[in-house]
Amino acid sequence: MVPTMVLVADDAKDAHRAESLYELAGAVAGRGEAPVVPAFGAREEVQRELDAVDGPKVVVPAYVAGGCVDSAELYAALDLGAGPDAGGGVCATAPLGAVPSVVGELAGRLADRGWTPGDGVVLAADGGESPEERQSVAEVARMLSRRLRAPVQVGYVRAWAPTVADAVERLRGAGRGRVAVASWRLVADAGSERLHELDALVTPPLWPCANVVDTLLAKHRAATARLAA
């Protein structure tokens, strides 16, 4: 029996964000590899969706590490039940992080927005409470820097310092005439809209992107193998 993939995220009562999340869930389901249940909303709503799934399930965060504070807090608070080590039928995965294909997509979006060598680059992340999320954001910045062969600074929308605006101004003060902001977010939301208030080139969120769907399904396959072990 193929475990059900339960995609989890906070929809932040944002209609545009919710629409994008459901489109992502539909694209994953459309590959036909596994049944997919979208569990988006407040914690109580997500928990109900999760508890309603019969049989084995793989719980997959529908956000990037460090890219959605609300979703990370929601995910940490869920009762996921018994994991594979306890002989149960539930396996939870980590959020999308420093995946080479996804970072490559981010670099491509910078080029599409007009970034050229010599322009400054800021990786715009939401933040989060855990050291693991901060480490993941730092690794994404390092990978992006290697791919672009250019320095990448990190700026935060919500939880940490420096802010994205601070990082942009710092680069301008260092003589960078143009600055590009790489949006480390899975789907569009109010946070991504705030980035467009900056006087900078801003990439769209990662979804829609076939690499994102590929990576979510790869996580499901790896978790399925752990459940079967």
Side-chain angles (χ1 to χ4, degrees):
M1 181 179 184
V2 177
T4 297
M5 179 192 292
V6 183
L7 283 171
V8 172
D10 185 287
D11 67 6
K13 299 181 175 60
D14 181 323
H16 184 55
R17 173 179 169 79
E19 181 181 357
S20 296
L21 286 167
Y22 279 103
E23 287 175 355
L24 172 60
V28 177
R31 293 287 186 89
E33 287 195 29
V36 177
V37 170
F40 308 135
R43 189 186 68 80
E44 294 78 10
E45 298 170 305
V46 172
Q47 189 69 59
R48 281 197 300 271
E49 292 286 352
L50 180 62
D51 293 343
V53 176
D54 292 327
K57 48 198 167 189
V58 176
V59 187
V60 181
Y63 58 91
V64 293
C68 183
V69 170
D70 293 330
S71 290
E73 291 177 349
L74 179 153
Y75 196 62
L78 289 175
D79 178 7
L80 300 176
D85 293 339
V90 182
C91 187
T93 78
L96 295 177
V99 178
S101 61
V102 176
V103 175
E105 180 72 24
L106 195 58
R109 287 172 184 240
L110 281 167
D112 290 343
R113 290 293 294 149
W115 177 86
T116 58
D119 295 339
V121 183
V122 175
L123 178 69
D126 209 21
E129 296 299 325
S130 72
E132 292 80 11
E133 288 202 327
R134 190 160 197 161
Q135 183 177 358
S136 181
V137 171
E139 181 59 23
V140 170
R142 284 192 290 268
M143 290 174 65
L144 183 61
S145 177
R146 289 195 296 269
R147 185 172 286 267
L148 297 176
R149 298 181 181 178
V152 174
Q153 292 200 18
V154 177
Y156 297 102
V157 177
R158 291 179 55 181
W160 299 321
T163 67
V164 179
D166 289 341
V168 169
E169 289 307 311
R170 185 179 301 169
L171 286 170
R172 288 224 172 85
R176 301 284 183 173
R178 289 202 313 172
V179 178
V181 175
S183 179
W184 184 239
R185 313 181 84 79
L186 187 59
V187 298
D189 56 19
S192 56
E193 291 303 315
R194 286 196 295 273
L195 296 178
H196 289 281
E197 297 171 4
L198 301 168
D199 182 19
L201 306 172
V202 180
T203 69
L206 291 165
W207 171 253
C209 166
N211 283 329
V212 166
V213 177
D214 293 341
T215 305
L216 292 174
L217 287 169
K219 283 182 171 292
H220 180 272
R221 287 192 292 271
T224 296
R226 291 197 296 273
L227 283 170

